[in-house]
Amino acid sequence: MRLIFLGTPDFAVPTLERMLDAGFEVPLVVTQADRPKGRGQSLAPPPVKQAAQRLGLPVYQPERIRRPEAIARLSAIAADGMVVVGYGQIIPQAVIDLAPLGIINVHASLLPKYRGAAPIQWAIVNGDTRTGVTTMRIDAGLDTGDMLLRAETPIGPEENAVDLGKRLALLGADILVETMRGLGAGVLTPQKQDHAQATLAPILKKEDGLIDWRLSAHAIDNRVRGFQPWPGAYTTFRGQTLHIWESRPVAAEPLVPPGVFESRKPLIVACGGSALELRTVQLEGRKRIAAADFANGQRLTDNDRLGDTHR
């Protein structure tokens, strides 16, 4: 089976590797253009390009997949199908029509829940205890195509979006191979999504990470875990940005207003009707450190509080 692969982030790499291990022929890997990265803003290849080069696969990086020259390049391959994992561009109908078996997408949620760009992050932020991956046949909508296979997994109580993403990437790689084999054998029956049950996982914005200390400790901890690596969960401290990278809800009813330090050893902050222990933090322009070291270094006083915007 000849399959064109379209993908960009780290999440897509295990699927590409498993396709080759399973014996599928990948005549072309399509990924996004190299982008500026780091302080020097030098061009850096996306993870899928790096993987493809390591695996000896040809790479194509069109600026827009919908342009005629890109469609012509894909058409010339005469592939049986295409696989998309986090490619980052909307696939036009002209490309969908090129693949006899269709374009199969690995989506990091149990569709129709969490359609959109950030399903892993929003599942954690919303307090879900289970998630999974779904393979579906792409159509012209936003993650609205017919489902093929699904695999479910629990979300650990301290698992962040980075760690969960790594697990889901491996799970998605396995069910993609199973999906393509099933399609090739003609034994899979596509299933329509129940659009009435659909929820959205919109692309993340910087302001999503701003902590409102009036929320419960569990809600804030979910945001700390869910918004990694970007935008992170952050607040203000003495006029500077303070990122919270690790935290833990504690069984305590605060005696002070939200955002005020309930305790300094360990470092505990009052929230809405609850309290949150800070474990790893990062003041802007500095390195991540243990919250205890932060408390010692800043010489906290009774006048200090987090989240000046919520006074």
Side-chain angles (χ1 to χ4, degrees), residues 114-294:
Y114 297 124
R115 295 173 177 172
I120 297 172
Q121 293 90 334
W122 287 112
I124 294 176
V125 169
N126 291 337
D128 290 8
T129 58
R130 301 193 69 81
T131 187
V133 290
T134 306
T135 53
M136 69 169 183
R137 189 175 266 139
I138 281 182
D139 63 12
L142 176 64
D143 299 329
T144 56
D146 292 350
M147 299 180 295
L148 296 163
L149 290 178
R150 302 204 309 171
E152 191 171 338
T153 186
I155 299 175
E158 295 189 358
E159 196 167 27
N160 63 39
V162 174
D163 294 335
L164 179 58
K166 291 176 181 177
R167 288 204 300 113
L168 292 181
L170 297 174
L171 189 61
D174 288 338
I175 73 161
L176 183 279
V177 169
E178 186 180 351
T179 297
M180 299 315 300
R181 286 174 173 164
L183 288 174
V187 297
L188 284 186
T189 301
Q191 180 182 353
K192 296 289 185 184
Q193 295 189 41
D194 181 356
H195 301 305
Q197 299 298 317
T199 62
L200 295 179
I203 191 168
L204 298 176
K205 305 183 296 297
K206 176 65 177 178
E207 55 265 31
D208 288 328
L210 180 62
I211 296 173
D212 182 346
W213 293 101
R214 295 168 296 186
L215 297 175
S216 72
H218 281 285
I220 295 172
D221 183 60
N222 289 343
R223 301 177 88 82
V224 170
R225 295 184 298 115
F227 289 144
Q228 294 195 33
W230 190 88
Y234 60 91
T235 185
T236 53
F237 172 75
R238 296 177 182 171
Q240 293 181 290
T241 298
L242 179 71
H243 276 270
I244 314 298
W245 293 112
E246 286 185 279
S247 59
R248 181 180 63 182
V250 295
E253 189 164 333
L255 302 176
V256 293
V260 174
F261 294 108
E262 181 84 16
S263 165
R264 296 172 198 168
K265 291 183 179 180
L267 191 58
I268 296 176
V269 184
C271 306
S274 51
L276 186 73
E277 178 185 346
L278 308 188
R279 304 171 86 173
T280 305
V281 301
Q282 182 179 15
L283 199 60
E284 63 177 274
R286 304 189 186 182
K287 296 180 180 179
R288 297 187 191 189
I289 59 173
D293 294 335
F294 169 80

